[in-house]
Amino acid sequence: MRSRYRLSLGAAGILVVALALAGCGGSTTDTLVIGEYGSLTGGDATFGQSTKAGVEVALDELIAQKQGKIGGMPVRVVVEDDQGRPEEAASVVQKLINQDRVIAVVGEVASSRSLAGGPICQLNGVPMISPSSTNPGVTQIGDFIFRMCYLDDFQGQVMARFTAQNLGLKRVAMLKDIKNDYSVALAQFFTGEFVKNGGTIEIEQSYQSGDQDYRAQLTAIKARNPQAIILPGYYTEAGLIGRQARELGLTIPIIGGDGWESEKLIEIGGEAMNGCYYANHWSLDQATPKLQAFLTAYRTKFKGDPDAIGGLAYDAATVLFRCMEQLATDDPATFAALGSSKAGTAARKAATRKLRDLIAATSGYEGATGSITLDENRNPKKPIVVIAVKGGKKVFETSIAP
Ligand code: PHE
């Protein structure tokens, strides 16, 4: 609205405002506003930056194919930085809903932040699609919350079997981030399955995201002589821990989950990461045609490779656009309320509920990160790719189907 008032300084502007108020110029102000929240800054800033990049590729596609419009209305994305803090995530989501009047939200990457922002979307009847939050609790918030990725019970199982069966390692150390919901739960899922596979956790140590010095924990771990370290945390800490482990003479493999996925992992960890493994959502050396097309668009725009979050965010935005298009076709009257500045609360709620229903029905969507069919709990089932770090490169190791 602010720009409208600025326009009204000129005679033409007054005319635009007058027409809009009279209900004749609806199409000049009606916009479909989508919210996006993520960590554009802070200790895991590549998470938010990759989300933003993936959504931008989806928007570029919409611009190229449909002039950036759905059902005749332009689509706009409002991006908020939560600095990687759950309290900030809650407050920016509230702002997106109250101030920007978003019709749907893409985000967050980190489970702790999705668990903070999700309840606000649920309460307001605004659909939220997390590209990559894997903690089971995220979609349990309620029926307006969706995700594009596998869950941590499966991820923990796969990591445990990979360690025990593929690598044949039975005695490990667990090093988890106790301030991170994802890390705490994934450690638990891993342990349950690992023990079933005849493994033992020789020692359990913890840290808090943002810590710099891990030598006390690593020294304690070294004293127990385990065959591997299980590190279900994020890339910044994984890189630092890798370096400090090698400095202390710990040469055993370190094994992580999808939280390691960032171009920064190897930048921070350097050679220390060679011989390590982590679970991921894709491997760029195993590209399907759909991934290949996304890679081409992404590389042209950003002159570099996306990480898996970029792909998952692209899929989240694309699924959302498709559902909006379907609503515009199936039920134009309801759809119109999504973009109209004049629609009342009841009409908007009815429209976002219909949008929710369409997202929930997502089935067989072929995305950059694979085929997505949402089950009755709004979760997809997707394979896990294990990545090996070799010679400073991420290499496909194996893929495990759900
Ligand atoms: N799965 C992680 C979480 O739930 C987030 C993440 C996904 C990080 C993908 C990196 C890549 O917290």
Side-chain angles (χ1 to χ4, degrees):
M1 274 319 277
R2 231 174 286 143
S3 59
R4 276 289 153 257
Y5 289 128
R6 240 177 274 135
L7 261 180
S8 72
L9 290 173
I14 291 171
L15 184 65
V16 169
V17 170
L19 284 174
L21 290 176
C24 314
S27 62
T28 62
T29 52
D30 290 357
T31 305
L32 299 159
V33 188
I34 292 165
E36 178 196 316
Y37 71 120
S39 52
L40 294 171
T41 57
D44 47 48
T46 67
F47 290 175
Q49 290 161 3
S50 295
T51 308
K52 185 162 176 282
V55 172
E56 279 175 16
V57 173
L59 263 177
D60 283 355
E61 235 173 64
L62 188 71
I63 290 166
Q65 291 165 7
K66 301 182 167 133
Q67 293 91 47
K69 291 181 182 171
I70 296 177
M73 288 189 274
V75 174
R76 188 161 65 90
V77 178
V78 180
V79 183
E80 287 292 339
D81 177 15
D82 61 26
Q83 302 152 28
R85 296 168 41 220
E87 323 78 67
E88 195 58 24
S91 108
V92 298
V93 168
Q94 194 77 64
K95 180 257 175 191
L96 287 169
I97 293 175
N98 292 352
Q99 218 164 299
D100 302 303
R101 294 176 35 101
V102 298
I103 60 167
V105 170
V106 174
E108 232 265 13
V109 167
S111 291
S112 292
R113 271 109 66 182
S114 287
L115 288 167
I120 298 160
C121 292
Q122 178 67 29
L123 195 68
N124 288 279
V126 172
M128 173 180 121
I129 309 179
S130 166
S132 57
S133 286
T134 45
N135 185 281
V138 170
T139 43
Q140 287 164 8
I141 291 168
D143 60 345
F144 277 82
I145 314 299
F146 304 87
R147 76 177 105 214
M148 297 285 107
C149 55
Y150 53 71
L151 275 68
D152 284 335
D153 44 357
F154 176 50
Q155 179 165 212
Q157 235 177 46
V158 165
M159 286 167 61
R161 287 191 198 157
F162 176 78
T163 305
Q165 295 172 14
N166 297 45
L167 300 179
L169 306 177
K170 297 289 166 87
R171 296 180 304 102
V172 303
M174 174 65 73
L175 182 52
K176 66 181 175 192
D177 178 351
I178 46 166
K179 264 194 22 195
N180 178 333
D181 293 302
Y182 154 82
S183 186
V184 170
L186 187 53
Q188 219 168 31
F189 291 125
F190 177 95
T191 301
E193 181 69 22
F194 194 60
V195 169
K196 270 196 218 155
N197 279 264
T200 50
I201 309 286
E202 293 287 310
I203 175 170
E204 204 173 304
Q205 293 282 299
S206 63
Y207 64 92
Q208 299 194 8
S209 356
D211 286 355
Q212 299 292 320
D213 186 349
Y214 301 90
R215 278 171 290 201
Q217 294 95 318
L218 291 168
T219 302
I221 287 171
K222 192 178 179 200
R224 301 297 288 266
N225 198 28
Q227 296 169 302
I229 300 173
I230 309 303
L231 180 50
Y234 292 160
Y235 65 90
T236 299
E237 287 79 14
L240 288 172
I241 289 167
R243 271 181 183 277
Q244 292 177 20
R246 305 309 179 220
E247 278 163 23
L248 290 170
L250 266 165
T251 54
I252 50 179
I254 308 176
I255 299 165
D258 62 338
W260 283 25
E261 171 68 351
S262 169
E263 64 185 24
K264 297 267 184 227
L265 174 77
I266 293 170
E267 245 177 80
I268 298 170
E271 288 187 0
M273 303 325 286
N274 291 333
C276 295
Y277 302 90
Y278 72 97
N280 201 13
H281 302 268
W282 72 15
S283 178
L284 292 186
D285 49 15
Q286 302 279 307
T288 59
K290 196 70 209 267
L291 173 52
Q292 204 54 63
F294 171 71
L295 283 180
T296 303
Y298 190 100
R299 285 170 176 158
T300 306
K301 189 174 174 71
F302 297 109
K303 320 282 172 232
D305 278 350
D307 61 27
I309 294 171
L312 291 162
Y314 167 82
D315 284 346
T318 307
V319 162
L320 181 59
F321 293 165
R322 288 161 59 106
C323 292
M324 288 160 65
E325 254 152 32
Q326 202 181 330
L327 185 57
T329 314
D330 295 353
D331 187 350
T334 300
F335 176 78
L338 290 178
S340 167
S341 46
K342 296 185 296 290
T345 309
R348 276 180 62 89
K349 282 229 157 163
T352 51
R353 159 136 315 259
K354 284 225 165 155
L355 184 58
R356 183 226 84 92
D357 293 346
L358 288 168
I359 300 168
T362 299
S363 176
Y365 166 71
E366 294 301 329
T369 63
S371 178
I372 297 171
T373 297
L374 297 179
D375 66 15
E376 68 280 15
N377 298 313
R378 302 163 304 285
N379 300 316
K381 282 198 173 51
K382 295 165 81 182
I384 289 182
V385 175
V386 177
I387 302 285
V389 183
K390 288 184 183 159
K393 298 249 175 310
K394 302 189 231 176
V395 183
F396 173 86
E397 176 77 13
T398 179
S399 168
I400 293 120

